């Protein structure tokens, strides 16, 4: 019997019709935001009670701790039968380590690259949603010492199971997520709302393509034994050009004058981590300096900020400037860093209330 698959919110089908055709996501009947087993659909309760291996996937971000009691209850109910939790997170919450140490289930970390967008009109009850998912995808899972049966079955469906997920995670964060941020920032500066148009725009590509080249070179130097794919980055540019995505969806909750820290945190993890790797291996980091110039230009233009329905807690400009300075550590000279910080502070001052 095949293992049951419990999807936290939704499941998706990948199109077999060609890499340039996005396909609407299919919401699984078993999708649930339950807090206890007795609130789960009957189908899922049957999976939990069955002797077959059970696979649970999580992509909850900062909400992960709220699901921890349910996962523990499931692990207890399984009573030693194979139960695997696959963590599909860019940044795993510490609660997953607690679950791994519990000993009643196997926790595997994964890298999932499914380029998708969620139209505002596609919201469903219970916070579920329908999204468009591109047919170009990647799902990599780190093997567990116990080599669970469910991972062997996932491999048969095209999932890559590896001993070390680190090089895959770094590539995905920098090439997919980092590229996404850079495309959106440049589009915002140029007044391009639809990312599909920006991904074909000469001025946008003039920033994106050198960034991809720099990331590829640094990644090769850091992971010389990794099976590098020169088409990985350019293919993602094409994917972004296929999807009806917007700069507002990417930046709307982060490019906010009251609090820029979430934007800076994202850029640090998804762009400037690559700058530090490039610098460490002796590569030119001029392209990352260009991204800093882009960021400063945007910060200094009050018309480019968003006003989301729920404003984040305000952070004073001194804290924002300090956070910006942290982005520059490890890849700029002290003099360069000082000049960048001075320009960033001046740009903030221009848009101060």
């Amino acid at each position: 019997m095949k293992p049951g698959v419990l999807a936290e919110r939704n499941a998706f089908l990948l199109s077999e019709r060609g890499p340039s055709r996005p396909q609407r996501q299919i919401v699984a009947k078993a999708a649930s935001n339950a807090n206890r087993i007795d609130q789960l659909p009957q189908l899922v309760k049957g999976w939990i009670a069955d002797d077959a291996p059970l696979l649970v996937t999580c992509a909850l971000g900062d909400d992960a701790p709220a699901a921890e009691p349910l996962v523990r209850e499931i692990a207890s109910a399984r009573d030693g039968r194979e139960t695997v939790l696959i963590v599909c997170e860019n940044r795993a919450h510490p609660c997953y380590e607690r679950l791994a140490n519990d000993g009643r289930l196997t926790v595997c970390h994964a890298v999932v690259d499914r380029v998708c967008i969620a139209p505002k009109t596609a919201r469903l009850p219970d916070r579920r949603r329908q999204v468009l998912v591109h047919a170009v995808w990647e799902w990599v899972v780190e093997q567990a010492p116990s080599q669970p049966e469910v991972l062997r079955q996932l491999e048969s469906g095209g999932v890559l199971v590896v001993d070390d997920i680190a090089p895959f995670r770094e590539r995905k964060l920098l090439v997919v997520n980092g590229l996404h941020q850079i495309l959106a920032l440049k589009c915002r500066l140029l007044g391009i709302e639809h990312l599909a148009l920006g991904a074909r725009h000469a001025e946008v590509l003039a920033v994106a393509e050198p960034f991809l080249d720099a990331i590829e070179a640094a990644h090769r130097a850091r992971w010389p034994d990794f099976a590098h794919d020169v088409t990985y980055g350019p293919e993602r540019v094409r994917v972004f050009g296929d999807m009806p995505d917007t700069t507002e969806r990417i930046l709307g909750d982060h490019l906010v004058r009251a609090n820029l820290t979430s934007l800076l945190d994202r850029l640090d993890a998804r762009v400037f981590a690559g700058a530090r790797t490039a610098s460490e291996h002796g590569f030119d980091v001029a392209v990352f300096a260009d991204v800093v110039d882009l960021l400063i230009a945007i910060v200094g233009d009050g018309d480019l900020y968003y006003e989301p329905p729920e404003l984040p807690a305000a952070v004073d400009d001194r804290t924002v400037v300090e956070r910006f300075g942290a982005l520059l550590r490890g890849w700029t000279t002290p003099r360069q860093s000082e000049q960048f910080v001075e320009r960033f502070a001046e740009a903030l001052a221009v848009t101060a209330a």
Side-chain angles (χ1 to χ4, degrees):
M1 181 176 179
K2 291 185 177 181
V5 179
L6 170 58
E8 185 274 331
R9 286 188 185 169
N10 43 40
F12 65 93
L13 298 179
L14 297 168
S15 171
E16 298 295 337
R17 297 172 296 171
S20 297
R21 296 188 180 185
Q23 178 162 316
R24 180 166 294 278
Q25 180 159 328
I26 307 300
V27 177
K29 292 181 180 178
S32 173
N33 288 313
N35 295 313
R36 303 189 309 271
I37 287 180
D38 61 12
Q39 297 174 339
L40 290 168
Q42 193 59 42
L43 175 64
V44 178
K45 293 178 184 177
W47 289 343
I48 294 172
D50 199 283
D51 288 336
L54 179 70
L55 169 63
V56 182
T57 65
C58 284
L60 301 173
D62 292 334
D63 294 330
E68 186 175 352
L70 173 61
V71 175
R72 290 187 183 278
E73 186 183 1
I74 291 172
S76 178
R78 294 287 293 166
D79 194 26
R81 289 164 291 173
E82 182 177 296
T83 307
V84 178
L85 175 69
I86 295 185
V87 181
C88 307
E89 307 273 17
N90 287 332
R91 179 177 55 85
H93 192 279
C95 74
Y96 292 118
E97 185 174 353
R98 294 195 296 267
L99 289 169
N101 293 334
D102 183 280
R104 293 179 295 178
L105 76 165
T106 300
V107 176
C108 298
H109 290 271
V111 171
V112 180
D113 173 14
R114 56 162 196 168
V115 180
C116 61
I117 61 113
K120 293 181 179 179
T121 57
R123 285 286 174 181
L124 296 172
D126 300 325
R127 298 176 63 202
R128 291 184 293 158
R129 60 184 179 176
Q130 287 182 319
V131 303
L132 291 174
V133 182
H134 200 280
V136 172
W137 65 287
E138 179 183 53
W139 190 5
V140 185
V141 181
E142 192 165 64
Q143 181 63 274
S146 61
Q147 298 187 345
E149 170 63 23
V150 292
L151 295 192
R152 288 193 287 272
Q153 296 198 26
L154 285 176
E155 278 189 293
S156 68
V159 175
L160 184 62
V161 179
V162 300
D163 292 329
D164 184 8
I165 206 169
F168 293 92
R169 184 184 302 281
E170 181 178 290
R171 181 177 68 172
K172 190 263 181 177
L173 277 174
L174 295 176
V175 175
V176 180
N177 300 109
L179 176 64
H180 219 184
Q181 295 294 311
I182 289 173
L183 289 176
L185 287 171
K186 188 64 176 180
C187 285
R188 185 61 173 165
L189 185 65
L190 295 175
I192 300 172
E193 176 59 18
H194 295 284
L195 206 66
L197 298 177
R200 297 178 174 88
H201 194 285
E203 288 189 52
V204 177
L205 293 176
V207 177
E209 290 175 346
F211 171 76
L212 290 177
D213 290 342
I215 290 300
E216 170 68 16
H219 195 265
R220 283 181 178 274
R222 182 168 183 176
W223 307 99
D225 297 327
F226 182 74
H228 296 274
D229 180 0
V230 296
T231 68
Y232 186 90
E235 187 174 49
R236 267 61 189 178
V237 175
R238 179 178 58 77
V239 168
F240 293 141
D242 287 340
M243 298 296 282
D245 208 349
T246 65
T247 57
E248 182 179 8
R249 189 194 70 82
I250 301 166
L251 300 174
D253 292 332
H254 308 285
L255 182 55
V256 180
R257 183 60 182 85
N259 188 341
L260 287 168
T261 55
S262 66
L263 175 65
L264 298 178
D265 287 345
R266 282 174 163 244
L267 292 175
D268 195 11
R270 303 177 180 193
V271 176
F272 297 112
R276 286 184 277 275
T277 300
S279 177
E280 178 185 347
H281 291 280
F283 293 104
D284 188 357
V285 292
V287 64
F288 299 99
D290 291 340
V291 177
V292 175
D293 289 335
L294 170 61
L295 176 62
I296 292 173
I298 290 173
V299 167
D301 189 335
D303 292 334
L304 299 182
Y305 288 101
Y306 291 97
E307 294 185 7
E310 296 183 11
L311 286 173
V315 173
D316 65 88
D317 284 356
R318 180 178 299 179
T319 300
V320 173
V321 171
E322 290 176 354
R323 183 66 189 91
F324 170 79
L327 303 181
L328 308 173
R329 294 173 189 159
W331 66 277
T332 60
T333 67
R335 179 57 180 157
Q336 288 173 325
S337 179
E338 181 182 342
Q339 291 174 336
F340 276 138
V341 168
E342 183 178 334
R343 289 174 53 208
F344 183 83
E346 290 174 352
L348 271 183
V350 170
T351 57

